[in-house]
Amino acid sequence: MSTRTRPVLRMSGVHKSYGPTRVLHGVDLTGHAGEVLAVVGANGAGKSTLIKILAGAERMSAGELLLDGAKAELRSPHDAHTHGIRTVHQELTLVPELSVTENLLMGHFPRRLGGLIDWKAAHRRARALLEGIGYGAIDPRTRAGRLTVARQQMVEIAKALVSGGAEPRVLVLDEPSAVLAGSDLEALFALIRRLQERGVLIVYVSHRLAEVTELATSIVVIKDGRVVAETTPDRTDENELIRLMAGRPAGQLYPARRTTEGDTLLDVSGLGRTGEFGDVSFSLRAGEITGLFGLVGSGRSELARCVFGAEPARTGTVRAPGGDSDTVRFRSPREAIAAGLALVTEDRKRTGLVLGLSTADNIGLTTLRTTTRGPLLDTARRRHDVVAMVDRLDIRPAHCAKLPVRTLSGGNQQKAVLAKWLLTGPRVLLLDEPTRGVDMATRAEIYRMLDRLARDGMAILLISSDLTEVLGATDRVLVMHEGRITAELASEGTTEDTVLAHAIGHAA
């Protein structure tokens, strides 16, 4: 679909330094109208910095940026917006207390005589916008904070497309599909292809390499702040991309699982929450990794929060046999933690980390009550615990304990969240999208760690929208559809098509 005339976007010799630390080393990037220009690289390679420069959130230290052949200065996000560049960041930017309509039309509401907002017209316009890009299932009157992360991601994309009333010339998508699956993922791909046909340049940043090779017109690989390869899908494959990103051949992504079925560590029976899920029953056993797959709206994340006591259930029981508590449902996360449960939530920036604190403070949050002597913090013990976790999970950089956690790459932030919960010594680990926005090398590390934890007797529930992951990293898979568990399948020998058929309610 590329017109191969004058490029829409050209970045030449882009450097970016933070003090003495250089992050980008002379990056060149060129994109034409109607292209999908994929940018791939491991966490910490410099992709996020490049995106921030394109979005006007950071200024390059040196280099040149041309739009349609003319030099452009992007001093602020407003400048980028004025030049037709829209960016959908991996981390959500919606105002959670406002409705979908308010988030979409902010600053551009239809008004009645006298200047009052015409809310009926506003909701109609928002609904039409959502339907026009394939996301009509989202109710525009819903408060954004009540949507699942996946649906919030859809609204973010819609917002970028309608912002200011004009279609973008360049659309930057940072991990847009990280929490999408099934029909929602298909809707995103269909939207991208329609935008291509209309001549929009799409800069697509993703760790899902199968998507990159399916969608991209051209691929740029970044490593250590430098472009190390420029290629096309017909000249490469996933293994070659991983080799270029990591600087070494791709190894086995998923460890070979050899399950020894142990005691039941968590038993959920008839659990229900009005409007989200009902009559859900399952057990988690020591030494086993169980997957949970469902499409947007299936109730998978809501179920995890309810099991953990973060949201109240209406019916059913949750028991952790053999722990300090045999509670019928947990009334709070504190009770769940006391019973040996831990929950890694799907949105690490909003519910997993306190971004203003150091990495050490974040890792030590869950054990504050056990690392105090009277009113004082036992700093020596906490330092020992944090250093041990940083070493155990290979959280980088090695001196990250004193650094603000927000300065870490996405993969290392995720490791910090895992470290925080592993310090509690859980018997049952609930993981919701644990590899979202994480590069393939770090994913492999996480899978190996989960395998070791399971072999040591932990029970693990892995919730994921990535079908390859949910089959490759687990022993069995629970499938949810419209708030019910519709299938329990052995991971080995089960195809992605079979799981997806159960997830959409079309299984034979």
Side-chain angles (χ1 to χ4, degrees):
M1 294 183 186
S2 169
T3 58
R4 285 298 169 189
T5 55
R6 186 169 63 187
V8 172
L9 170 70
R10 173 167 284 165
M11 302 178 77
S12 302
V14 174
H15 291 261
K16 178 62 182 178
S17 298
Y18 296 96
T21 304
R22 179 166 288 184
V23 180
L24 296 179
H25 304 260
V27 170
D28 296 331
L29 205 67
T30 301
H32 296 76
E35 279 192 333
V36 175
L37 171 61
V39 179
V40 300
N43 286 114
K47 304 187 306 296
S48 295
T49 302
L50 193 66
I51 290 169
K52 289 175 183 176
I53 290 172
L54 272 174
E58 295 279 3
R59 298 188 66 180
M60 65 182 81
S61 303
E64 187 176 59
L65 188 149
L66 303 176
L67 291 169
D68 288 327
K71 186 174 180 179
E73 295 283 346
L74 305 182
R75 299 184 180 89
S76 68
H78 180 265
D79 285 347
H81 190 279
T82 301
H83 281 92
I85 300 173
R86 307 281 192 275
T87 302
V88 179
H89 295 281
Q90 179 182 339
E91 309 306 334
L92 303 171
T93 62
L94 300 179
V95 182
E97 298 304 319
L98 298 183
S99 69
V100 171
T101 295
E102 289 169 304
N103 274 281
L104 285 178
L105 303 183
M106 194 176 296
H108 301 278
F109 294 108
R111 297 184 181 273
R112 299 176 178 175
L113 291 175
L116 295 176
I117 294 174
D118 186 340
W119 286 110
K120 287 185 177 179
H123 291 314
R124 283 197 303 270
R125 183 179 174 193
R127 186 178 297 281
L129 291 171
L130 291 167
E131 289 175 349
I133 61 173
Y135 298 154
I138 300 174
D139 184 350
R141 298 173 185 268
T142 304
R143 186 163 58 87
R146 294 189 61 83
L147 296 174
T148 63
V149 172
R151 293 205 167 176
Q152 289 184 45
Q153 181 71 63
M154 297 177 194
V155 176
E156 290 276 11
I157 295 169
K159 181 180 175 182
L161 291 176
V162 304
S163 179
E167 192 166 81
R169 297 157 68 200
V170 180
L171 178 63
V172 183
L173 298 174
D174 185 9
E175 299 288 349
S177 65
V179 292
L180 302 181
S183 60
D184 300 308
L185 194 57
E186 291 171 6
L188 172 64
F189 290 177
L191 173 61
I192 287 172
R193 292 183 178 111
R194 288 199 300 273
L195 292 171
Q196 280 184 269
E197 290 170 358
R198 298 205 287 265
V200 177
L201 165 62
I202 295 160
V203 179
Y204 194 89
V205 181
S206 179
H207 290 304
R208 290 185 169 184
L209 299 182
E211 293 175 9
V212 167
T213 54
E214 177 183 347
L215 285 172
T217 310
S218 56
I219 304 170
V220 170
V221 184
I222 296 180
K223 183 178 185 294
D224 297 330
R226 294 178 172 86
V227 173
V228 295
E230 297 179 62
T231 185
T232 56
D234 60 334
R235 291 190 288 135
T236 190
D237 57 27
E238 292 180 48
N239 286 333
E240 174 65 8
L241 291 174
I242 293 171
R243 186 192 67 77
L244 291 167
M245 289 161 57
R248 61 181 183 274
Q252 183 177 350
L253 185 59
Y254 302 108
R257 297 286 300 134
R258 295 186 299 276
T259 307
T260 301
E261 187 175 315
D263 296 333
T264 296
L265 299 185
L266 186 73
D267 185 58
V268 176
S269 179
L271 201 66
R273 179 171 165 82
T274 303
E276 293 180 346
F277 58 87
D279 196 26
V280 171
S281 300
F282 65 91
S283 295
L284 301 181
R285 295 183 288 269
E288 187 178 43
I289 301 176
T290 302
L292 177 61
F293 180 83
L295 303 181
V296 175
S298 64
R300 63 191 187 194
S301 295
E302 293 82 357
L303 173 62
R305 291 196 296 269
C306 194
V307 168
F308 193 62
E311 293 181 358
R314 181 177 58 83
T315 60
T317 60
V318 178
R319 297 181 183 274
D324 295 335
S325 170
D326 197 19
T327 307
V328 177
R329 271 187 250 157
F330 301 116
R331 292 171 296 180
S332 68
R334 177 178 292 182
E335 287 189 355
I337 293 168
L341 274 68
L343 170 64
V344 174
T345 56
E346 63 178 333
D347 189 344
R348 61 176 172 265
K349 290 289 181 73
R350 296 177 64 185
T351 57
L353 298 168
V354 182
L355 297 178
L357 297 182
S358 70
T359 304
D361 287 339
N362 272 276
I363 292 174
L365 279 175
T366 55
T367 52
L368 276 176
R369 298 183 69 189
T370 58
T371 54
T372 54
R373 293 179 177 177
L376 300 177
L377 179 67
D378 186 343
T379 54
R381 179 178 173 182
R382 194 190 72 159
R383 189 182 307 113
H384 174 272
D385 289 346
V386 168
V387 169
M389 275 297 167
V390 167
D391 182 62
R392 177 181 175 185
L393 301 187
D394 192 24
I395 304 175
R396 299 182 184 181
H399 63 281
C400 67
K402 294 183 179 179
L403 296 177
V405 75
R406 66 172 178 270
T407 65
L408 271 59
S409 68
N412 286 297
Q413 287 181 356
Q414 190 70 354
K415 289 181 183 180
V417 176
L418 287 164
K420 174 183 74 172
W421 286 112
L422 291 179
L423 270 182
T424 67
R427 302 164 69 242
V428 177
L429 182 59
L430 311 175
L431 301 162
D432 195 356
E433 300 286 2
T435 62
R436 179 189 177 204
V438 173
D439 67 78
M440 300 303 285
T442 306
R443 281 189 178 208
E445 290 181 49
I446 291 174
Y447 299 143
R448 287 194 294 270
M449 180 192 70
L450 297 182
D451 180 65
R452 289 194 299 270
L453 293 172
R455 290 175 188 273
D456 289 341
M458 193 179 292
I460 298 173
L461 181 69
L462 172 61
I463 304 169
S464 177
S465 57
D466 186 333
L467 274 169
T468 304
E469 173 177 85
V470 88
L471 287 172
T474 67
D475 303 302
R476 63 187 171 109
V477 179
L478 306 173
V479 187
M480 287 191 75
H481 171 64
E482 295 183 349
R484 309 273 175 167
I485 290 182
T486 56
E488 180 177 335
L489 309 165
S491 300
E492 187 175 359
T494 297
T495 66
E496 294 183 15
D497 289 346
T498 299
V499 176
L500 192 54
H502 284 286
I504 62 178
H506 286 178

